[in-house]
Amino acid sequence: MSLLSDLLNLNLSDTTEKVIAEYIWIGGSGMDLRSKARTLNGPVSDPSKLPKWNYDGSSTNQAPGEDSEVILYPQAIFKDPFRRGNNILVMCDAYTPAGEPIPTNKRHAAAKIFSHPDVLAEEPWYGIEQEYTLLQRDVKWPIGWPLGGYPGPQGPYYCGIGGDKAFGRDVVDSHYKACLYAGVNISGINGEVMPGQWEFQVGPAVGISAGDELWVARYILERITEIAGIVLSFDPKPIHGDWNGAGAHTNYSTKSTRSDGGYEVIKKAIEKLGLKHKEHIAAYGEGNERRLTGRHETADINTFLWGVANRGASIRVGRDTEKAGKGYFEDRRPASNMDPYVVTSMIAETTIIWKP
Amino acid sequence: MSALNDLLNLDLFDYTDKIIAEYIWIGGSGIDMRSKARTLRGPVTDPAKLPKWNYDGSSTDQAPGHDSEVILYPQAVFRDPFRRGSNILVMCDAYTPAGEPIPTNKRFNAAKVFSDPHVVAEEPWYGIEQEYTLLQKDVQWPIGWPVGGFPGPQGPYYCGVGADKAFGRDIVDAHYKACLYAGINISGINGEVMPGQWEFQVGPAVGISAADQVWVARYILERITEIAGVVLTFDPKPIKGDWNGAGAHTNYSTKSMREHGGLTVIKKAIEKLGLRHKHHIAAYGEGNERRLTGRHETADINTFSWGVANRGASIRVGRDTEKDGKGYFEDRRPASNMDPYVVTSMIAETTILLKP
């Protein structure tokens, strides 16, 4: 297949000014990513200079057949790690031809919240810990797991190494470099407690860019699993029983929490989140009740509690934040299949804008 | 999968000044290694300039769930042979948030021994011969061995060549180059007496760095076996019966031993070791009683003996040391699963610090 590789890796910069732009959007389930590519006349690095585009919404459950055009508005540009050169990935959100955000477009409302003057003043930072599970393609059983059976119990796999403990590292490591190349602010990776499960972190990112970067990181990950012949799952509890679920812990801070006296601001913020626990939980991902059981390093879905260094709590405050008297906190409730536009903006809204 | 390789091998130098640092630590069993990665502004080569980090100790048997943070202190930096570029491996040890070494942190005590002025003055050198066995995944039977049976008896395998005598050389040779690349002082490799068993040597290394290098060499080895789809074991007697065990012979010298009249110093040191035989044996690796039987080039675990060129002794002095009247000696008692922090510091403590 080396001739195919040669073609895939062709560096067109010497032959043409043209550039390929892959437009990415979120499909009708709110979790499926879609993309298609178009040729542009030259390199572009500013999303406002990119043309709007459109797609067949009737094929993604986002428009009726007789009025199927959905318009794509480019919102963020990243370098394309697959095509490299001057080629780009473009994260978009979706609108009706009349200019209204379609129902699955959660970015629009998030952008409104993040441009609220109170929120802007607080400069909210996010660090999102995206967990995910890799599955063998045709059987949808986690990679490294024996077919028809189970691996040895959890214990050796968290940050583990070795052919009997870490499955799929090639996917994880190529994703890390691909994201750095693309310009996604990926801050780390680790093997998770359940074998075949991994985590990457994006952040710190400010405001709406956290959501953009996480979605593009998810896109890059699924493109890489496609190359590897493996299936990607963001299901929050992929395997029933004594196996950890998958979450998207969201670390959060504002200007005030990062400044002197920030610890008090943090406690007030956590209090507000506690008062809106049910609303947040409803928006924190489908199927989360299978994951938030109170076991496997989670807090029960109906309980709101917080603690320092407590991984069994809804909200965890790190020891260094406690010691420094300022810093950030971790909302451990979101599931791996959460929409980061929803979660990040809701946390900002509840803690900054909302008066109880 | 060459597209995956292209991503894995991406040289990010032209795109970002960010580097990836893989923080490595020893888990709750005292022999399992764990690691996770983070992005830093680079390049960095001095461990003192690296940030402390933390991990979930409740997932590695090193902390309870309600107070799970264990702090990682960077101690030694090596080049990352897997990610290359300016990316690094960071050997760490583990502390409570209050700054106390956790019980499995054996480096802390070793560092104390190695900074004692008497020990510093003696400049202790170590050369550690790490033996290990490679096992087929899923069946946990040595590679090259027929499943459900045994290979021909020991004889042809020690330093052997040929597909019927040497199994897994790719791993051994890749490890050799990877360690040299990383900056580990790997001094050699050889095929061992039992088929599927190999040895590498690290040294000479001074004081605490001997153990840092052995642990990182072990880490690199297990990462390589992970790539090769093979399982690594440091069990000291992997196969019962007429098959050699696996040790970690530790060669040792001090300034006084390396100088004129050193042989007398060596004999005195061996005497002191003899008086503390039981104490050392207890710290020389779990399961060593299955290996130190008095057969298969070992001395019986309850007997302390030494001799020139004697592979059946607890301590062996080389013929060239005897001839020169100075040099080093080899403690053959440590098992392959020994902790080099414990063994190297204990030998220094017994021979330099303790008065019998």
Side-chain angles (χ1 to χ4, degrees):
Chain A
M1 292 259 228
S2 86
L3 287 177
L4 215 61
S5 292
D6 292 339
L7 291 170
L8 277 170
N9 292 330
L10 256 181
N11 183 355
L12 296 165
S13 323
D14 302 318
T15 357
T16 174
E17 282 279 300
K18 292 180 179 180
V19 148
I20 304 172
E22 187 87 28
Y23 280 52
I24 301 167
W25 71 96
I26 300 160
S29 76
M31 197 60 204
D32 57 311
L33 280 162
R34 310 278 181 150
S35 75
K36 54 174 179 158
R38 68 187 297 182
T39 310
L40 301 173
N41 285 331
V44 183
S45 48
D46 178 358
S48 63
K49 300 215 158 45
L50 285 168
K52 292 189 169 76
W53 204 9
N54 64 78
Y55 67 93
D56 173 11
S58 68
S59 288
T60 59
N61 237 303
Q62 292 169 305
E66 72 275 7
D67 188 9
S68 61
E69 266 180 42
V70 178
I71 318 301
L72 289 169
Y73 290 29
Q75 298 292 359
I77 291 181
F78 298 87
K79 296 177 61 136
D80 185 337
F82 306 103
R83 298 193 178 102
R84 297 186 285 284
N86 289 319
N87 304 303
I88 53 176
L89 302 178
V90 185
M91 187 64 206
C92 306
D93 61 345
Y95 296 77
T96 65
E100 294 300 311
I102 64 173
T104 49
N105 178 350
K106 305 300 181 191
R107 189 187 194 282
H108 187 80
K112 282 228 286 266
I113 289 170
F114 283 118
S115 33
H116 188 291
D118 291 343
V119 175
L120 276 173
E122 279 291 0
E123 232 189 280
W125 289 7
Y126 298 90
I128 301 172
E129 306 170 37
Q130 175 72 68
E131 291 178 339
Y132 61 92
T133 313
L134 298 173
L135 307 176
Q136 302 173 45
R137 201 177 65 180
D138 300 326
V139 293
K140 307 289 233 274
W141 198 232
I143 58 166
W145 291 42
L147 286 185
Y150 294 82
Q154 295 184 152
Y157 312 111
Y158 169 75
C159 300
I161 59 174
D164 51 344
K165 284 161 281 186
F167 311 117
R169 192 188 296 274
D170 270 4
V171 167
V172 184
D173 271 352
S174 50
H175 178 249
Y176 202 159
K177 281 194 174 181
C179 284
L180 283 174
Y181 175 95
V184 170
N185 198 359
I186 181 166
S187 41
I189 57 107
N190 63 269
E192 268 303 328
V193 178
M194 182 179 113
Q197 206 170 79
W198 295 85
E199 168 181 316
F200 66 87
Q201 306 100 31
V202 169
V206 188
I208 194 86
S209 79
D212 289 334
E213 295 201 19
L214 189 69
W215 274 114
V216 174
R218 285 174 170 180
Y219 175 82
I220 292 173
L221 180 59
E222 191 152 30
R223 285 286 306 272
I224 286 174
T225 56
E226 181 187 311
I227 296 170
I230 289 173
V231 169
L232 173 64
S233 169
F234 288 115
D235 188 278
K237 189 75 171 182
I239 308 292
H240 195 65
D242 199 3
W243 304 99
N244 274 32
H249 304 157
T250 301
N251 297 278
Y252 173 69
S253 69
T254 60
K255 209 172 184 165
S256 307
T257 69
R258 296 189 292 270
S259 312
D260 281 332
Y263 197 59
E264 290 310 307
V265 181
I266 287 175
K267 287 202 237 175
K268 286 210 188 74
I270 294 178
E271 226 181 277
K272 287 183 168 189
L273 287 167
L275 294 169
K276 282 198 133 197
H277 178 66
K278 281 195 163 15
E279 287 93 322
H280 278 245
I281 281 289
Y284 274 13
E286 288 289 314
N288 213 1
E289 66 287 352
R290 289 182 282 121
R291 166 183 161 258
L292 294 182
T293 58
R295 296 179 61 222
H296 301 115
E297 298 170 282
T298 69
D300 177 80
I301 197 168
N302 297 311
T303 309
F304 180 85
L305 67 103
W306 76 276
V308 177
N310 184 356
R311 282 179 157 82
S314 320
I315 307 253
R316 164 172 157 263
V317 175
R319 286 226 173 272
D320 35 7
T321 293
E322 184 193 32
K323 202 158 64 163
K326 57 186 173 178
Y328 65 97
F329 64 84
E330 178 192 21
D331 189 342
R332 293 176 64 81
R333 297 170 294 171
S336 41
N337 59 355
M338 61 82 152
D339 185 326
Y341 292 130
V342 172
V343 170
T344 56
S345 60
M346 192 180 271
I347 291 175
E349 188 181 41
T350 297
T351 58
I352 300 172
I353 301 176
W354 183 59
K355 313 283 171 229
Chain B
M1 287 256 233
S2 83
L4 215 60
N5 277 335
D6 292 337
L7 290 171
L8 277 170
N9 292 330
L10 257 181
D11 183 352
L12 297 165
F13 180 76
D14 297 317
Y15 308 105
T16 176
D17 64 349
K18 292 180 177 177
I19 62 158
I20 304 171
E22 187 87 28
Y23 279 51
I24 301 166
W25 72 94
I26 300 159
S29 77
I31 188 83
D32 59 309
M33 298 197 78
R34 311 275 180 153
S35 75
K36 55 175 181 157
R38 68 187 296 185
T39 309
L40 297 172
R41 285 248 118 77
V44 184
T45 48
D46 180 359
K49 297 209 160 47
L50 286 165
K52 292 188 169 79
W53 205 8
N54 63 78
Y55 68 93
D56 174 10
S58 69
S59 287
T60 59
D61 239 7
Q62 293 170 304
H66 54 272
D67 190 9
S68 60
E69 272 179 42
V70 177
I71 317 300
L72 290 169
Y73 290 28
Q75 299 292 358
V77 173
F78 298 87
R79 300 177 61 190
D80 184 336
F82 307 103
R83 297 194 179 103
R84 296 184 290 283
S86 297
N87 303 305
I88 53 177
L89 302 178
V90 185
M91 187 63 206
C92 305
D93 61 346
Y95 296 77
T96 63
E100 296 298 314
I102 65 173
T104 49
N105 178 350
K106 306 301 180 189
R107 190 188 193 280
F108 186 77
N109 227 54
K112 279 221 296 252
V113 170
F114 284 118
S115 36
D116 182 297
H118 297 297
V119 175
V120 174
E122 279 292 0
E123 232 188 282
W125 289 7
Y126 297 90
I128 297 168
E129 306 169 36
Q130 175 73 68
E131 292 178 337
Y132 61 92
T133 314
L134 299 173
L135 307 176
Q136 302 171 45
K137 211 167 75 154
D138 303 335
V139 292
Q140 312 268 307
W141 196 233
I143 58 169
W145 293 41
V147 172
F150 294 80
Q154 294 182 153
Y157 312 111
Y158 170 73
C159 301
V161 302
D164 51 343
K165 283 160 278 182
F167 312 119
R169 190 187 296 276
D170 269 4
I171 290 168
V172 184
D173 272 353
H175 178 248
Y176 202 161
K177 283 195 174 180
C179 284
L180 284 173
Y181 176 94
I184 290 176
N185 200 358
I186 182 168
S187 39
I189 58 109
N190 61 271
E192 269 302 328
V193 176
M194 182 178 114
Q197 207 170 79
W198 295 84
E199 168 180 314
F200 66 88
Q201 306 99 33
V202 170
V206 188
I208 195 95
S209 82
D212 286 337
Q213 292 189 54
V214 170
W215 275 115
V216 177
R218 286 174 171 181
Y219 174 84
I220 290 173
L221 180 59
E222 190 153 31
R223 285 286 307 272
I224 287 174
T225 57
E226 182 187 312
I227 295 170
V230 154
V231 172
L232 172 66
T233 179
F234 289 116
D235 188 276
K237 190 74 172 184
I239 307 292
K240 230 161 64 122
D242 201 3
W243 305 98
N244 273 32
H249 305 157
T250 301
N251 298 278
Y252 173 70
S253 69
T254 61
K255 203 159 189 196
S256 310
M257 295 174 194
R258 297 189 289 271
E259 289 165 352
H260 193 66
L263 190 58
T264 314
V265 182
I266 287 176
K267 291 196 201 162
K268 282 212 189 74
I270 294 177
E271 225 182 280
K272 287 183 173 185
L273 287 168
L275 293 170
R276 279 189 117 205
H277 179 66
K278 279 196 166 11
H279 182 78
H280 278 243
I281 282 290
Y284 273 14
E286 288 289 314
N288 213 3
E289 66 285 351
R290 288 181 283 121
R291 165 183 162 257
L292 295 182
T293 58
R295 297 179 58 220
H296 300 114
E297 299 169 280
T298 70
D300 176 77
I301 196 168
N302 297 310
T303 310
F304 181 83
S305 63
W306 77 274
V308 176
N310 183 356
R311 279 181 159 77
S314 319
I315 307 255
R316 163 172 156 264
V317 174
R319 287 227 175 272
D320 35 7
T321 294
E322 183 194 43
K323 200 160 66 165
D324 296 339
K326 59 185 176 178
Y328 66 96
F329 63 84
E330 177 193 22
D331 188 343
R332 294 175 63 79
R333 298 171 293 171
S336 42
N337 60 355
M338 61 83 155
D339 185 327
Y341 292 126
V342 171
V343 171
T344 55
S345 61
M346 194 179 273
I347 291 174
E349 190 180 43
T350 297
T351 58
I352 301 173
L353 296 178
L354 293 188
K355 317 288 169 220

